[in-house]
Amino acid sequence: MRHLKVAGVMALLAVFSITGCGVESSTTAVVPLSKVAAQDKVNTIIPAPAGIVGMTNPDSNDFMYLAAGTARSKGLFSLNLITHEISSSSSISNAVDSATLLSSGIIVLGQATKHSGAISLYNAQTLKMMKTIPVGDPVIEVCTDPSEAGDVYVLNGTKKSETVSVVNTNNNKIMESIPVSLGTIDIASNAGTLYTLQPNGQIMGISERSKTPQFQFTVAPGARSFVVSPDGQTLYLLKEANDTYYISEVDLATESQIAALGAPMNAGFISLSSDSKTLYVGVESPSVGNVQTLQAIH
């Protein structure tokens, strides 16, 4: 669940799709602004550290884990979503730029240096690092599949190419690499399908078995982050247009936007509760940090 941290590198590149695969592209119907919910739909504003660079989904104990800080100093924070308090924290590498959570309760942090990338695994209870696994190119984003306990999907790349490395955290090996379109800013995995996001709002679904695109459609420009519901039926896309932030709800069966919800200013991250009832939106700012909860549209 990602902000546009690659803007300085990837946004200047021409965004393109994987071609030559016979995949038809469609554009979703856009909900009129008159039907976009107002900001007063925010249920709760939870204080959080400033400079969020990574935000996980909530775990079964209602904790969320945040990577935040500056280029000089970053930390990993355990946020209690019930008491709205930071229960614990620890120092992490300044190269961390993304975060996700395995179903086993292990926090995964992506790292990007100038020429290389890695993921680090942290114990969610102690926030202590367990191990680091190199992945090659600088990491752009990390995600997990709710149906898989030990695999991490790592979007990594350079100015010339991007891939998603599937890393088995049990044996520390890259099991496979899936090519994706240059300029991809976010990924999600669900039941054998890898979803990718472009800044122009293009969603592509890639078969993890055949590594070939199965479908693609465009929601709206200004895309920043997205999440797929655990049942694989709904996609929520965080986008920005003219300094106004929205969350589009997309029915994946029809590839159409069916509703929209107002989001807070400077929103950069989005995640979803396991019951798909609550959306969590992370505000991305070097001076202010908070996580806001909204009721999922459907």
Side-chain angles (χ1 to χ4, degrees):
M1 326 331 164
R2 166 100 254 114
H3 62 314
L4 281 179
K5 67 178 178 189
V6 293
V9 178
M10 298 299 183
L12 298 179
L13 300 172
V15 178
F16 63 89
S17 303
I18 298 176
T19 58
C21 56
V23 176
E24 295 184 359
S25 178
S26 61
T27 301
T28 63
V30 177
V31 175
L33 292 182
S34 60
K35 296 185 179 180
V36 174
Q39 282 285 146
D40 60 7
K41 291 293 185 179
V42 171
N43 296 324
T44 309
I45 300 177
I46 306 173
I52 298 174
V53 297
M55 184 177 86
T56 74
N57 286 333
D59 66 14
S60 58
N61 296 314
D62 292 312
F63 279 88
M64 175 181 286
Y65 304 94
L66 306 171
T70 67
R72 295 184 177 182
S73 177
K74 290 180 181 176
L76 177 61
F77 301 86
S78 177
L79 177 62
N80 188 318
L81 297 173
I82 302 299
T83 66
H84 299 176
E85 297 176 340
I86 298 295
S87 62
S88 57
S89 63
S90 65
S91 296
I92 57 176
S93 168
N94 295 341
V96 168
D97 63 357
S98 52
T100 191
L101 182 69
L102 287 165
S103 58
S104 59
I106 295 174
I107 305 164
V108 182
L109 301 182
Q111 300 181 37
T113 62
K114 188 174 182 180
H115 300 294
S116 64
I119 58 172
S120 293
L121 276 55
Y122 283 75
N123 183 300
Q125 294 183 343
T126 64
L127 298 191
K128 291 185 177 180
M129 188 173 72
M130 302 164 60
K131 57 185 173 182
T132 295
I133 306 171
V135 294
D137 291 327
V139 175
I140 301 169
E141 183 56 282
V142 290
C143 77
T144 57
D145 188 321
S147 65
E148 299 175 1
D151 289 349
V152 178
Y153 294 76
V154 185
L155 174 64
N156 59 103
T158 66
K159 294 179 180 180
K160 297 182 178 180
S161 66
E162 291 181 37
T163 60
V164 172
S165 300
V166 184
V167 182
N168 186 305
T169 58
N170 296 316
N171 60 22
N172 305 336
K173 293 182 178 181
I174 297 176
M175 306 304 293
E176 59 179 329
S177 293
I178 303 172
V180 297
S181 298
L182 189 64
T184 297
I185 60 171
D186 202 0
I187 56 173
S189 175
N190 188 290
T193 298
L194 176 68
Y195 300 85
T196 67
L197 174 66
Q198 293 279 347
N200 67 352
Q202 183 191 82
I203 300 291
M204 180 177 286
I206 302 172
S207 167
E208 295 176 13
R209 179 182 294 273
S210 65
K211 302 181 183 179
T212 57
Q214 302 299 299
F215 61 84
Q216 67 181 44
F217 61 92
T218 299
V219 181
R224 299 177 66 82
S225 177
F226 79 120
V227 63
V228 176
S229 62
D231 61 11
Q233 297 181 7
T234 309
L235 181 147
Y236 294 94
L237 173 69
L238 175 64
K239 58 184 180 179
E240 179 269 332
N242 300 319
D243 293 327
T244 303
Y245 294 74
Y246 307 101
I247 296 172
S248 293
E249 180 187 7
V250 177
D251 185 324
L252 285 170
T254 62
E255 299 179 358
S256 62
Q257 177 179 300
I258 55 178
L261 184 68
M265 183 68 68
N266 296 322
F269 305 86
I270 184 172
S271 65
L272 185 66
S273 60
S274 59
D275 61 6
S276 299
K277 293 182 178 180
T278 304
L279 288 164
Y280 296 87
V281 183
V283 170
E284 176 186 35
S285 169
S287 58
V288 178
N290 61 66
V291 175
Q292 303 191 15
T293 67
L294 302 93
Q295 184 176 355
I297 307 165
H298 289 292

